[in-house]
Amino acid sequence: MAINSLALPIYFNDPLPWQLGASTVLPSLIGHVIFGAVIGRTSRHFVTRTNPRRVVT
């Protein structure tokens, strides 16, 4: 997280996330959270489908 939010913008001379403002950062954050939830749900589905006796918590 530190590399993406600090090192890369400094290296490429781009504005830092807090300089962009919430209107730019929040949609990206929400999109990443939704994407992660979908990937987690899909992964859980395939793990339980291939091994039904395995308990996924």
Side-chain angles (χ1 to χ4, degrees), residues 22-38:
S23 63
T24 302
V25 175
L26 283 180
S28 176
L29 177 63
I30 291 170
H32 281 86
V33 168
I34 291 171
F35 177 76
V38 169

Side-chain angles (χ1 to χ4, degrees), residues 1-37:
M1 192 162 108
I3 291 173
N4 282 334
S5 63
L6 295 174
L8 290 176
I10 291 170
Y11 181 76
F12 291 111
N13 201 20
D14 290 336
L16 298 171
W18 49 84
Q19 293 171 326
L20 295 172
S23 63
T24 302
V25 175
L26 283 180
S28 176
L29 177 63
I30 291 170
H32 281 86
V33 168
I34 291 171
F35 177 76

Side-chain angles (χ1 to χ4, degrees), residues 27-51:
S28 176
L29 177 63
I30 291 170
H32 281 86
V33 168
I34 291 171
F35 177 76
V38 169
I39 293 296
R41 180 83 177 191
T42 304
S43 173
R44 182 179 220 176
H45 169 75
F46 284 115
V47 166
T48 56
R49 194 176 95 184
T50 58
N51 190 358

